[in-house]
Amino acid sequence: MPASARIRKGLLVAAVAPVAVLSIFNCGSAQAASVATWDKVAHCESTDDWHINTGNGYFGGLQILQSTWEGYGGKAYAPRADLATKEQQIRIAEKILAGQGAGAWGTCGASAGLAYDHADPFPDKPAEPVDAGMTSLTAGDFNGDGKKDLVAVEVSTGKLFSYAGQGNGRLGDRVEIGRGGWNGLKDLTSADFDKDGKDDLVATETGTGKLFLYKGNGHGLGDRVEIGRGGWNGLKDLFAGDFNGDGKKDVGATEISTGKLVLYPGTGTSDGLRALGDRVEIGDGGWNGMNKLVSPGDLDKDGKDDLIANEIGTGKLFLYSGSGNGVKSRVEIGRGGWNGISDIAGADFNGDGIGDMAAVESEPGSEGKLYFYPGTGTGRFGDRVEIGNGGW
Ligand SMILES: [Ca+2]
Ligand SMILES: [Ca+2]
Ligand SMILES: [Ca+2]
Ligand SMILES: [Ca+2]
């Protein structure tokens, strides 16, 4: 369980916070709070100033740390919490509350009774869509023809669709796989985790912070199994690949509270909580400055899975070549412009043994275009080609 990531005032009284955190995790009830309770937290944190930025690194009425804002999806609303509306700040705070508990607001959370108010702040109002068109792209062979398919969630319906890969970077017709409700899941990533020859899908359930594995059955997805107890909302940018060289696919992620890159080694099974082993750190802090982490497979033809990521500050794309024991030092493979890419999936789409990428370019909150980026085998990508017919 990652430690809580925020709090200006709470930091001063960290010694008392664990008591509140403990009671929350023991009771296991759904986390939520009314607007009136959030108003009390804001009164304590920011004296009711929902647009405050004092330069202390915490922003807005609920004083949310920038990396936490980004980690829980706040940038879909605004670049920083103080630039978002009160409702948007509360909607992200609800996710932090679910992931970290009321202890994230220290004494302000305690005095507001945040841990004991389980009301839905906006019961009659669905959340504004955080992305338009399709979101949460990932790639794997989900129809059993040996060609990698592109999978994505339709924002307007919460349905999961698989677009049949043609083996040449192009996509065929889509079919719905899995059951609905995929708007409540995030960080979708795919690999054949249990080594039965069929790709599986892993995702975090935002409401509970649990990690689930959806077993591929050759024509879609079968039943899901819980493979990670709560706390996964404290991780972001999940990716899948074999990064410890044992031939079994692992799950990697950035830990929001520390900015470290962590790896949960796969055990080659889909055996519930035994599917992943104890986690290890494979990258020092600083990964909160990166996003869109994805493994396209082997990009530089050394036989090891690799990781690519966008540097938020510069919009540059970097390759972190897999070392068999984590990742090597990074190499820049794309000069800027990658902040305009809203979603990335990686796999060997054209079957040449080299990892490729599919990515959506869009304005925030708008539909965008889907592109195919072929891996060249040198660790870079060749010229992109638009695929798909809009609506992404
Ligand atoms: Ca396929
Ligand atoms: Ca499998
Ligand atoms: Ca492995
Ligand atoms: Ca490689």
Side-chain angles (χ1 to χ4, degrees):
M1 180 70 213
S4 74
R6 25 173 333 285
I7 279 338
R8 186 165 51 98
K9 296 186 180 179
L11 272 180
L12 303 173
V13 290
V16 303
V19 177
V21 171
L22 202 63
S23 64
I24 286 164
F25 293 141
N26 285 346
C27 80
S29 57
Q31 303 302 310
S34 63
V35 172
T37 295
W38 285 117
D39 277 335
K40 288 180 192 168
V41 177
H43 184 72
C44 173
E45 288 282 355
S46 63
T47 55
D48 313 308
D49 185 349
W50 288 88
H51 301 290
I52 192 169
N53 172 12
T54 63
N56 67 351
Y58 297 88
F59 301 97
L62 300 170
Q63 291 287 282
I64 298 174
L65 186 65
Q66 181 63 14
S67 58
T68 307
W69 178 253
E70 293 175 10
Y72 285 88
K75 283 186 83 176
Y77 293 137
R80 296 192 315 261
D82 60 300
L83 302 174
T85 66
K86 174 181 171 182
E87 178 182 328
Q88 290 167 342
Q89 292 178 50
I90 291 175
R91 287 194 184 279
I92 297 302
E94 285 280 316
K95 295 182 181 179
I96 299 169
L97 180 62
Q100 303 185 357
W105 282 271
T107 47
C108 288
S111 63
L114 192 55
Y116 307 103
D117 175 1
H118 303 300
D120 179 346
F122 306 110
D124 303 318
K125 209 171 161 190
E128 300 161 40
V130 297
D131 196 0
M134 307 299 294
T135 191
S136 297
L137 269 58
T138 185
D141 177 20
F142 290 101
N143 62 2
D145 66 357
K147 298 166 184 165
K148 296 294 185 183
D149 314 311
L150 185 65
V151 167
V153 175
E154 189 172 60
V155 175
S156 59
T157 62
K159 291 180 176 175
L160 186 71
F161 287 98
S162 177
Y163 297 75
Q166 304 297 293
N168 57 6
R170 301 272 172 179
L171 301 175
D173 292 339
R174 73 181 195 178
V175 293
E176 188 183 350
I177 61 171
R179 301 182 187 105
W182 288 84
N183 281 335
L185 292 143
K186 65 167 187 175
D187 278 336
L188 277 56
T189 187
S190 305
D192 180 13
F193 291 99
D194 58 4
K195 301 192 74 167
D196 66 352
K198 295 163 186 155
D199 283 337
D200 315 303
L201 191 152
V202 158
T204 299
E205 189 174 63
T206 50
T208 60
K210 291 178 177 176
L211 190 71
F212 288 95
L213 183 147
Y214 297 76
K215 213 170 140 46
N217 57 19
H219 52 87
L221 298 176
D223 291 339
R224 72 182 195 176
V225 290
E226 183 184 335
I227 64 168
R229 289 199 174 97
W232 285 80
N233 281 330
L235 296 155
K236 64 168 188 167
D237 285 330
L238 268 57
F239 60 94
D242 178 18
F243 285 92
N244 63 0
D246 65 357
K248 297 163 185 166
K249 298 295 185 180
D250 316 311
V251 175
T254 299
E255 185 178 59
I256 297 165
S257 62
T258 61
K260 289 180 176 171
L261 193 68
V262 295
L263 189 74
Y264 293 78
T267 62
T269 75
S270 50
D271 189 11
L273 296 172
R274 285 183 290 274
L276 299 177
D278 292 338
R279 74 176 208 175
V280 292
E281 289 174 14
I282 59 170
D284 289 340
W287 285 83
N288 279 327
M290 309 295 294
N291 66 6
K292 304 178 188 104
L293 276 57
V294 67
S295 173
D298 183 13
L299 195 60
D300 53 10
K301 276 192 104 168
D302 66 355
K304 299 184 180 89
D305 286 343
D306 306 313
L307 175 66
I308 56 176
N310 169 56
E311 187 173 62
I312 298 167
T314 61
K316 291 179 178 174
L317 195 69
F318 289 92
L319 165 68
Y320 297 79
S321 183
S323 66
N325 184 24
V327 294
K328 298 178 189 172
S329 297
R330 70 186 196 175
V331 177
E332 185 186 330
I333 58 170
R335 293 165 197 281
W338 290 87
N339 282 334
I341 299 294
S342 56
D343 227 324
I344 290 182
D348 177 16
F349 288 105
N350 61 10
D352 63 0
I354 302 164
D356 313 304
M357 207 164 62
V360 174
E361 188 173 59
S362 71
E363 296 292 324
S366 301
E367 292 182 357
K369 292 180 175 176
L370 179 70
Y371 294 92
F372 171 64
Y373 296 76
T376 61
T378 62
R380 292 172 182 271
F381 294 101
D383 291 339
R384 72 182 190 178
V385 181
E386 189 183 348
I387 56 174
N389 298 314
W392 287 83

